Amino acid sequence: MSATKKLDVIGHARRRVDGREKVTGQQRYADDMKLPRMLHMKLLRSSQAHALIEAIDVSRAKAYPGVHLVLTGKDFPVSFGMMPVAQDEFPLAPEHVRYVGDPVAAVVAKDEQTAGEALALIEVKYKVLPTIATPEEALAQPEARIHDYTDVGNIHRNQAFEFGDVTEALAKSDHIFEDLFFYEGDNHMAIEQHASLASSEGDGKLMLWSSTQDPHYLHRQLARVLQMSAAHIRVVACDNGGGFGGKCDPAGHEFVVSKAALMLGRPVKICLTREEVFYLHRSRHPVLMKFRTGVTNDGKITGMHLQTLLDGGAYGSHGPASTFYTGVLTPLTYELPRFKFDACRVFTNKPACGPKRGHGTPQPRFGQEVQLDKIAEKLKLDPADLRLNMVTKANSLTASWLKIGSNGLAECIRQVVEGSGWKQKHGKLPQGRGVGIACSSYMCGAGVSIYWNKMPHSGVQLALDRSGQVTVFCGATEIGQGSDDVLAAVVAETLGISTKEVRVITGDTGITPIDLGSYSSRVTIMMGNAALQAAGRARDMLVEAAAEKLEVLPDSIVLSRGRVFAAGDAAKSMSFAEAVVFAESKFGTLGTVGSYTPPKPPGKFKAAGVGPSPAYSFSACVVEVEVDEHTGWITVPKIWIAHDIGRALNPTIAHGQVIGGVYMGLGEALMEEQVFRRLPAKLSNALVHKIPSMLEYKTITTLEMPEVEVFLIEDPEPNCPFGGKEVGQGPLLPVMPAVANAVFDAVGVRIDEVPITPEKILRALHLKREGKNPRVGPDHFPDVPYPEPTFVIPPAEGGDGNESKDPNRKPARSPAEATVS
């Protein structure tokens, strides 16, 4: 059931018909049952991009008929934030607004229309402050501070890491390639908008139904902001109509609607409009990138220096992690013996950026894959062969101390090359047609919790009923990715029953064990391993009881197709339900638990916890394009994509996830962008959205969606349940650079930024006709005050995983002694 449907169960509404109020069936039901009628909330949002609130007058709104409550920033003195190092937001801005759309007040009324009318009566007096529109402005104007807690001006995060002497590696290279790339920000575009319903349970306890991906983290933040015991708060994550990272952050409206329900003792509901979803944002960071890469004559990478500059928007959000992810996973895909990356995130007066499918990694992946295409062209090498000859190895450590388990990237490349007819097409199609290739890698869940602790990352509880029903409880959230199906399947497979006999209850902090949430492609691996442990313990109890009843050895018992029997003796058999009865008679009420904690990361330096994962997936993609040189229009007739999934637990869902990733990646490649404009000075000079609606924000439809041929490469990963790795995010990553590389193959122009629009194609073609460099993309990288890097000796050079204070010191052990633990 979607969030909106679930929220209306105890709701009511009044509709105006010919100026009169019409009582709905829901309202009559509430009246008959003597239930407190549900109220509705709307938010007043700042009209200024950067200002101080000098005064706010809510008296007229409070007096408006039908209004029950008006809240402002003074009602919320405690800040919140997804990450412990970025608790910089308030549910309602108390005195400082930082972007157009920042919430400043809330009205709770009998219906949405009344609440909206009352909002118009609130008067806010602002003192306008200088507006920071771009990262360059943020660096150049440190005195116009958006937050006071930063160390230097508007720099939110600033970090540098070096794994091996990159300067030396570049100096010894046969060729050095230096390129700039830009990746524009965009929106999640989930079909369902954010919605929340809060209710007081009558004894001072709070219950919140919300479209959240992370009920556990929201639960913790509610306790912080509302200054309540967490034991008195229950969060139910409604099945999401799409999330993609946009519903990971706790959102201001969730706190406001909760406080309103507690104060009024009545259910209070809010549903954001699509425009408000654009204001809430938390999507892809715009990132400027500079790659300096050394290679040998045969195309092997010797070292790389990557610099990134992120436009973080107005608040911290997931920014600390996002900043790391623009660099930390880079050495996973190809052998990169030495690697240095500098990353800086700055504040600007725009909605906060956060995690979107692939979180922080699509941007550098775009840059590296396009640069590899340029390297192949320069060295006259086939781009597919170039990649195939330097993929990372299974069971190895990267220079940045990330441990790779199974690795099917080489086979992914072979499959898309053969399937697409790459050898017959690349560089050989008629003018205007071309193919491009790109690869990627991604994590199967973050190895470290967002807040530091030693507890499991996922827990599962099983209850076995004498009817044969198995009920599974887990805090994981279904956001359309099929996690409930995985949970039921893992339990059913272990117990030898059909998923029909498994009832799944998830995403409820009041009755389910904790799971950290649906993010970082972690659910199948972490929830699945916890479920495997819980179901295994239940199986052991059933086997022991059945063996005793059938008078056979426990090792001979088999659970399959709803039966429990002795192998080799069909006469000694019983139904699963009968086995549960015997086990309950022997052990008492049957229930088991399971949990999962990822292995410790191999790196020991500070920040080594960002990037490690129990496993990594790999993908390869070939895109074919047709480019109209008169209009610049790009048509994509077909895409071939191979994904190293470990093992497909549900091939149908896996195929759907791959195609969904391709769809989203193609939209980012061709048209999606969340951009801003300044109003004229006479209209406040505010920085506002250029396209805050689905009417103007362009994304591909079924008319633009090409045929997609999917190859699932199966090489079971020992760290994952039944060998299954992630499939929700990795397949998106190679699509954008593959499109850019295909455009070059088709018409000989480089578009070093996304989206790749017809206007940019025409501009590059014009430069080509004039004999100039046929490239469109960033032309400079600002002077960023990156810190001195943390230096770590790579494992292949004998490092021990610790930071080295002296880059010239001898390693703690010889390279020959370096092993993968």
Side-chain angles (χ1 to χ4, degrees), residues 304-378:
M304 177 188 290
H305 184 189
L306 167 61
Q307 295 176 299
T308 65
L309 177 60
L310 294 78
D311 184 341
Y315 292 103
S317 180
H318 280 74
S322 308
T323 309
F324 272 103
Y325 286 142
T326 60
V328 72
L329 299 184
T330 302
L332 279 171
T333 315
Y334 308 110
E335 291 184 337
L336 182 52
R338 292 183 180 180
F339 176 57
K340 179 181 180 181
F341 84 95
D342 309 320
C344 178
R345 183 183 192 262
V346 296
F347 288 122
T348 58
N349 291 119
K350 292 181 279 191
C353 297
K356 184 186 177 185
R357 205 171 192 170
H359 190 191
T361 62
Q363 299 95 323
R365 178 53 43 201
F366 174 80
Q368 185 182 15
E369 292 296 324
V370 174
Q371 187 183 60
L372 284 176
D373 213 56
K374 296 181 181 183
I375 292 171
E377 181 202 5
K378 175 74 173 180

Side-chain angles (χ1 to χ4, degrees), residues 715-736:
D715 178 13
E717 165 61 53
N719 283 338
C720 299
F722 298 108
K725 297 199 278 191
E726 77 87 29
V727 68
Q729 303 192 60
L732 173 144
L733 303 178
V735 176
M736 297 77 71

Side-chain angles (χ1 to χ4, degrees), residues 620-751:
C621 176
V622 169
V623 173
E624 184 170 342
V625 302
E626 298 171 358
V627 182
D628 187 323
E629 295 189 58
H630 298 291
T631 64
W633 190 259
I634 304 171
T635 301
V636 180
K638 188 166 182 179
I639 293 177
W640 297 262
I641 185 162
H643 182 67
D644 165 28
I645 196 171
R647 184 179 183 185
L649 303 187
N650 184 320
T652 301
I653 290 179
H655 273 85
Q657 285 283 58
V658 172
I659 293 172
V662 169
Y663 164 82
M664 187 169 282
L666 194 58
E668 294 188 24
L670 297 179
M671 60 188 71
E672 293 191 43
E673 52 182 342
Q674 174 147 306
V675 292
F676 298 80
R677 61 187 173 89
R678 281 195 185 277
L679 293 176
K682 64 180 181 180
L683 295 178
S684 79
N685 201 39
L687 188 68
V688 298
H689 273 83
K690 187 177 180 181
I691 42 178
S693 76
M694 290 184 70
L695 178 65
E696 297 164 303
Y697 182 95
K698 303 304 179 186
T699 187
I700 62 174
T701 68
T702 53
L703 297 177
E704 293 84 28
M705 186 64 186
E707 178 187 354
V708 180
E709 187 170 348
V710 177
F711 306 91
L712 295 179
I713 308 304
E714 295 191 287
D715 178 13
E717 165 61 53
N719 283 338
C720 299
F722 298 108
K725 297 199 278 191
E726 77 87 29
V727 68
Q729 303 192 60
L732 173 144
L733 303 178
V735 176
M736 297 77 71
V739 170
N741 293 337
V743 166
F744 177 78
D745 189 47
V747 292
V749 301
R750 291 286 182 191
I751 311 298

Side-chain angles (χ1 to χ4, degrees), residues 244-539:
F244 314 115
K247 295 168 184 172
C248 282
D249 274 48
H253 67 270
E254 292 170 311
F255 302 102
V256 182
V257 78
S258 297
K259 188 175 185 72
L262 291 170
M263 293 176 68
L264 296 170
R266 293 173 64 170
V268 181
K269 172 184 173 181
I270 183 171
C271 293
L272 300 191
T273 64
R274 179 61 61 176
E275 182 176 352
E276 288 181 299
V277 173
F278 277 96
Y279 292 142
L280 184 58
H281 194 43
R282 314 302 153 125
S283 196
R284 190 84 74 214
H285 283 73
V287 180
L288 181 65
M289 296 160 281
K290 180 179 180 181
F291 283 80
R292 196 159 187 262
T293 305
V295 296
T296 61
N297 286 323
D298 59 356
K300 295 291 182 67
I301 299 176
T302 59
M304 177 188 290
H305 184 189
L306 167 61
Q307 295 176 299
T308 65
L309 177 60
L310 294 78
D311 184 341
Y315 292 103
S317 180
H318 280 74
S322 308
T323 309
F324 272 103
Y325 286 142
T326 60
V328 72
L329 299 184
T330 302
L332 279 171
T333 315
Y334 308 110
E335 291 184 337
L336 182 52
R338 292 183 180 180
F339 176 57
K340 179 181 180 181
F341 84 95
D342 309 320
C344 178
R345 183 183 192 262
V346 296
F347 288 122
T348 58
N349 291 119
K350 292 181 279 191
C353 297
K356 184 186 177 185
R357 205 171 192 170
H359 190 191
T361 62
Q363 299 95 323
R365 178 53 43 201
F366 174 80
Q368 185 182 15
E369 292 296 324
V370 174
Q371 187 183 60
L372 284 176
D373 213 56
K374 296 181 181 183
I375 292 171
E377 181 202 5
K378 175 74 173 180
L379 301 182
K380 294 181 170 50
L381 298 172
D382 182 289
D385 292 340
L386 174 81
R387 290 167 168 82
L388 189 59
N389 291 334
M390 61 179 182
V391 298
T392 50
K393 304 294 191 294
N395 303 310
S396 63
L397 280 176
T398 69
S400 55
W401 290 88
L402 301 180
K403 183 179 179 181
I404 299 172
S406 66
N407 185 341
L409 180 55
E411 185 59 24
C412 286
I413 295 173
R414 295 187 191 102
Q415 288 288 336
V416 295
V417 165
E418 180 181 351
S420 66
W422 170 268
K423 297 292 185 180
Q424 294 75 45
K425 292 179 178 178
H426 182 253
K428 301 173 183 177
L429 293 174
Q431 179 70 12
R433 294 178 56 196
V435 289
I437 190 170
C439 302
S440 67
S441 53
Y442 198 66
M443 61 176 59
C444 297
V448 176
S449 169
I450 285 178
Y451 66 97
W452 177 253
N453 66 85
K454 295 182 180 181
M455 293 177 285
H457 288 211
S458 186
V460 168
Q461 184 175 2
L462 263 60
L464 281 71
D465 184 82
R466 59 191 67 171
S467 68
Q469 174 183 285
V470 178
T471 304
V472 190
F473 300 88
C474 182
T477 308
E478 175 63 70
I479 59 173
Q481 83 279 42
S483 61
D484 282 2
D485 178 87
V486 169
L487 181 58
V490 168
V491 171
E493 181 72 17
T494 305
L495 297 180
I497 57 178
S498 165
T499 53
K500 277 184 162 184
E501 274 62 65
V502 181
R503 184 183 299 274
V504 172
I505 298 174
T506 55
D508 186 334
T509 65
I511 59 176
T512 62
I514 286 173
D515 178 272
L516 297 184
S518 291
Y519 64 92
S520 295
S521 284
R522 58 174 298 283
V523 180
T524 291
I525 289 80
M526 301 196 184
M527 174 198 73
N529 275 324
L532 197 61
Q533 185 181 80
R537 289 169 174 169
R539 186 184 186 283

Side-chain angles (χ1 to χ4, degrees), residues 41-355:
M41 188 176 81
K42 297 290 287 183
L43 297 175
L44 178 67
R45 296 179 179 274
S46 170
S47 60
Q48 299 297 324
H50 196 200
L52 298 178
I53 299 174
E54 293 189 323
I56 181 166
D57 185 354
V58 300
S59 57
R60 292 170 63 209
K62 282 184 175 180
Y64 194 71
V67 170
H68 290 259
L69 181 67
V70 178
L71 296 170
T72 64
K74 67 179 177 58
D75 297 302
F76 296 93
V78 180
S79 64
F80 71 93
M82 183 65 175
M83 307 196 76
V85 294
Q87 308 271 324
D88 57 5
E89 290 189 69
F90 291 87
L92 298 173
E95 55 187 24
H96 193 167
V97 293
R98 296 176 170 89
Y99 69 96
V100 170
D102 217 350
V104 296
V107 171
V108 180
K110 61 183 181 181
D111 53 41
E112 277 192 314
Q113 182 169 332
T114 301
E117 291 167 352
L119 285 182
L121 302 176
I122 298 176
E123 297 178 6
V124 185
K125 183 181 179 182
Y126 294 107
K127 179 183 178 182
V128 178
L129 300 173
T131 301
I132 302 297
T134 65
E136 290 83 354
E137 288 183 11
L139 293 170
Q141 302 178 40
E143 70 282 354
R145 294 177 74 117
I146 296 174
H147 288 280
D148 293 332
Y149 72 85
T150 56
D151 293 330
V152 179
N154 290 301
I155 295 177
H156 177 218
R157 303 291 293 182
N158 199 14
Q159 56 209 35
F161 294 85
E162 185 170 12
F163 302 95
D165 192 334
V166 173
T167 301
E168 180 184 70
L170 294 176
K172 293 181 178 180
S173 302
D174 295 321
H175 306 272
I176 296 177
F177 290 80
E178 188 169 304
D179 291 282
L180 299 180
F181 301 96
F182 177 67
Y183 202 108
E184 183 60 89
D186 50 57
N187 197 269
H188 305 93
M189 293 301 291
I191 293 175
E192 181 188 52
Q193 293 124 249
H194 299 65
S196 298
L197 167 66
S199 179
S200 171
E201 294 190 308
D203 53 359
K205 293 182 179 180
L206 170 69
M207 187 161 182
L208 175 69
W209 296 265
S210 195
S211 50
T212 175
Q213 294 179 228
D214 304 334
H216 172 61
Y217 290 127
L218 175 57
H219 182 250
R220 285 174 55 86
Q221 289 297 306
L222 281 166
R224 170 188 167 89
V225 170
L226 300 178
Q227 298 290 282
M228 289 178 61
S229 167
H232 298 162
I233 299 172
R234 180 180 176 186
V235 176
V236 177
C238 305
D239 291 349
N240 285 199
F244 314 115
K247 295 168 184 172
C248 282
D249 274 48
H253 67 270
E254 292 170 311
F255 302 102
V256 182
V257 78
S258 297
K259 188 175 185 72
L262 291 170
M263 293 176 68
L264 296 170
R266 293 173 64 170
V268 181
K269 172 184 173 181
I270 183 171
C271 293
L272 300 191
T273 64
R274 179 61 61 176
E275 182 176 352
E276 288 181 299
V277 173
F278 277 96
Y279 292 142
L280 184 58
H281 194 43
R282 314 302 153 125
S283 196
R284 190 84 74 214
H285 283 73
V287 180
L288 181 65
M289 296 160 281
K290 180 179 180 181
F291 283 80
R292 196 159 187 262
T293 305
V295 296
T296 61
N297 286 323
D298 59 356
K300 295 291 182 67
I301 299 176
T302 59
M304 177 188 290
H305 184 189
L306 167 61
Q307 295 176 299
T308 65
L309 177 60
L310 294 78
D311 184 341
Y315 292 103
S317 180
H318 280 74
S322 308
T323 309
F324 272 103
Y325 286 142
T326 60
V328 72
L329 299 184
T330 302
L332 279 171
T333 315
Y334 308 110
E335 291 184 337
L336 182 52
R338 292 183 180 180
F339 176 57
K340 179 181 180 181
F341 84 95
D342 309 320
C344 178
R345 183 183 192 262
V346 296
F347 288 122
T348 58
N349 291 119
K350 292 181 279 191
C353 297

